[in-house]
Amino acid sequence: METALKGRRILDLTRVLAGPYCSMILGDLGAEVIKIEAPGGSDETRFWGPPFKNGVSSYFLCANRNKKSLTVNLKKPEGREIIEKLVRTSDVVIHNFKTGTMEKLGLGYDRLKEIHPGLVYCSITGFGETGPYRDRPGYDFIIQAMSGLMSITGDEHSGPQKFGVAITDILTGLYACIGIQAALLEREASGTGQKIDLSLFDSAVSALVNIGSNYLMTGELPSRLGSRHANIVPYQSFSTKDGEIVIAVGNDRQFMKLVSMLGLPSLGLDPKFRTNAARVENRKELSAILQNLFLQEKKSFWENACQKQEIPFGPIQTMEDVRKDQQLKDREMFIRMQHPKAGDTAIIGSPLKLSKTPVSYRSSPPEPGADSASILSEIGYDEDEIQQLKQGEII
């Protein structure tokens, strides 16, 4: 089967989530990804849990499929020599060491581009390689706090809240994928690679989108609105007799359909609610009226009613609900892979549906060093040399 990135080799010196998530996507698209760790395995997520299955962390499994594993001691010259040899046949190097670490190891961009001028080199750090924060370590939680994301998440009673997942890591991983593929495309024209300097902080701030734009335009600090939208009303959750639902009315026509369905068409003609701008101004009053109406029936009733009227609707689902959702089953968003230690394992699949070059799931997340011998053999090491590297704790 043809894949979009077939023939591309990625050296992945990242750990935890942002970098591994990026390289997993590249692997799903067909690239050969070689995950580099210290001997014994140095990606912290291998040890994050519970849950574990036969000693394997579910966290590690979420971002490391379609990779080979090579363990190398980068603190020793023999280990750095291995990386340099691999760079000669690689398209991309990704790392998320602190600013300056790769340079101290002799593996910075200036050095590696001498070995391979066509190399695309992606540096992922907490705050970027320039600016007063460049030497600070960056963790998703810290970045969520500093970027403003937490200040707008939650409601007036909860105080600032973090996202339920490490959203800045995920965003940074996606930006890294975009940047890497853009650099590979540019290389086809120029013949040379380039460096990508990507930070979690920048990525998180970019995700402020409309809220950030609202502030920059007005200078008014945004309030925490919970499930409510800053610019659109009604666009929020409501309680029903048996759970919570979300209504997303995007225009005045949909609002008229909603209030007619609810048996109060006069609301759509009321000057306080007739336009979205008016509804935003009178948000509290309208939300209270709608909430009382939604409490009169169950979720299933409102789902059917909204579908008939083409009103954007969705139940707030638990993970169990999501796992059972037929739409996601049909879209193959949950897959099973055989892991050498964990056995048959369910993981979340890729959302990328390419008609000509679909993603592929070729290998489960690897055990540390599982492919060291075969990779080293490919770049010229014989069996005796590989054994000497093992004995010297180089691999």
Side-chain angles (χ1 to χ4, degrees):
M1 179 176 62
E2 199 67 22
T3 54
L5 296 180
K6 183 179 180 181
R8 305 294 190 186
R9 170 174 278 181
I10 317 293
L11 289 189
D12 177 14
L13 284 78
T14 68
R15 60 201 189 283
V16 188
L17 190 53
Y21 192 72
C22 166
S23 60
M24 181 179 73
I25 296 171
L26 298 173
D28 287 350
L29 290 168
E32 178 194 19
V33 179
I34 300 177
K35 184 177 179 69
I36 309 294
E37 297 178 79
S42 53
D43 188 326
E44 294 95 318
T45 63
R46 288 187 182 277
F47 315 104
W48 285 3
F52 296 98
K53 186 176 181 182
N54 297 334
V56 180
S57 163
S58 67
Y59 201 121
F60 180 79
L61 292 176
C62 82
N64 286 287
R65 64 172 173 257
N66 285 336
K67 301 178 186 182
K68 299 176 180 178
S69 175
L70 169 65
T71 52
V72 179
N73 187 341
L74 299 179
K75 295 179 180 179
K76 296 192 176 183
E78 298 92 337
R80 296 191 290 274
E81 183 181 350
I82 291 170
I83 299 300
E84 290 186 356
K85 287 183 177 180
L86 282 169
V87 163
R88 292 185 173 92
T89 59
S90 297
D91 298 281
V92 180
V93 166
I94 316 173
H95 81 84
N96 65 347
F97 291 111
K98 286 179 63 177
T99 299
T101 300
M102 287 288 277
E103 286 73 18
K104 291 176 183 176
L105 291 170
L107 299 173
Y109 176 60
D110 289 341
R111 167 59 183 151
L112 296 188
K113 75 175 180 180
E114 291 176 0
I115 299 170
H116 182 6
L119 184 70
V120 172
Y121 182 102
C122 182
S123 165
I124 299 175
T125 57
F127 296 94
E129 296 194 359
T130 59
Y133 300 165
R134 63 185 179 273
D135 294 323
R136 292 191 186 185
Y139 290 87
D140 175 273
F141 188 27
I142 304 299
I143 301 300
Q144 286 196 40
M146 293 181 65
S147 66
L149 284 176
M150 284 182 63
S151 77
I152 62 172
T153 305
D155 59 30
E156 59 268 34
H157 306 297
S158 69
Q161 299 287 300
K162 78 175 189 69
F163 278 63
V165 296
I167 192 66
T168 64
D169 278 332
I170 297 302
L171 288 169
T172 306
L174 292 171
Y175 275 123
C177 271
I178 295 167
I180 287 167
Q181 291 179 88
L184 288 172
L185 282 172
E186 193 280 334
R187 188 179 71 175
E188 292 183 6
S190 69
T192 56
Q194 60 183 296
K195 180 179 179 179
I196 301 165
D197 173 7
L198 187 63
S199 86
L200 272 70
F201 198 30
D202 295 347
S203 299
V205 170
S206 78
L208 294 172
V209 287
N210 62 302
I211 301 297
S213 183
N214 292 350
Y215 171 73
L216 292 174
M217 180 180 289
T218 66
E220 296 178 8
L221 287 172
S223 56
R224 289 185 295 276
L225 297 173
S227 69
R228 294 165 289 171
H229 196 288
N231 302 98
I232 311 171
V233 174
Y235 199 104
Q236 66 183 86
S237 63
F238 292 100
S239 297
T240 71
K241 277 187 174 180
D242 64 346
E244 289 188 294
I245 61 171
V246 164
I247 296 292
V249 167
N251 56 54
D252 298 336
R253 178 182 55 80
Q254 288 179 345
F255 180 68
M256 193 66 209
K257 282 187 174 185
L258 174 67
V259 294
S260 296
M261 179 195 77
L262 292 169
L264 285 177
S266 59
L267 284 178
L269 304 175
D270 189 323
K272 291 186 294 184
F273 309 129
R274 189 164 50 214
T275 66
N276 180 69
R279 293 193 294 275
V280 171
E281 290 294 322
N282 297 284
R283 177 196 303 272
K284 288 186 178 180
E285 182 180 352
L286 178 60
S287 295
I289 294 170
L290 298 180
Q291 178 58 87
N292 287 334
L293 294 170
F294 280 118
L295 279 170
Q296 295 175 15
E297 300 290 348
K298 294 182 177 181
K299 286 188 296 184
S300 58
F301 175 89
W302 294 121
E303 181 171 13
N304 292 331
C306 287
Q307 284 181 348
K308 288 179 182 178
Q309 297 300 320
E310 297 183 337
I311 296 166
F313 163 96
I316 296 180
Q317 299 195 135
T318 65
M319 286 303 302
E320 183 178 4
D321 296 327
V322 171
R323 176 68 181 271
K324 294 177 179 177
D325 194 302
Q326 190 59 49
Q327 176 70 16
L328 296 172
K329 290 181 179 179
D330 288 354
R331 299 284 292 174
E332 299 180 339
M333 280 306 298
F334 299 105
I335 62 171
R336 304 198 76 88
M337 300 191 79
Q338 289 294 326
H339 188 275
K341 284 181 65 178
D344 184 46
T345 306
I347 55 177
I348 295 173
S350 172
L352 295 170
K353 314 297 181 187
L354 283 71
S355 63
K356 183 180 177 182
T357 54
V359 301
S360 62
Y361 306 112
R362 304 178 303 282
S363 59
S364 62
E367 288 295 280
D371 305 285
S372 293
S374 62
I375 293 169
L376 292 174
S377 176
E378 181 186 331
I379 58 174
Y381 290 86
D382 61 31
E383 290 186 16
D384 288 341
E385 290 172 321
I386 292 172
Q387 285 302 315
Q388 289 174 11
L389 290 170
K390 287 182 179 178
Q391 292 170 4
E393 298 182 344
I394 308 300
I395 61 173

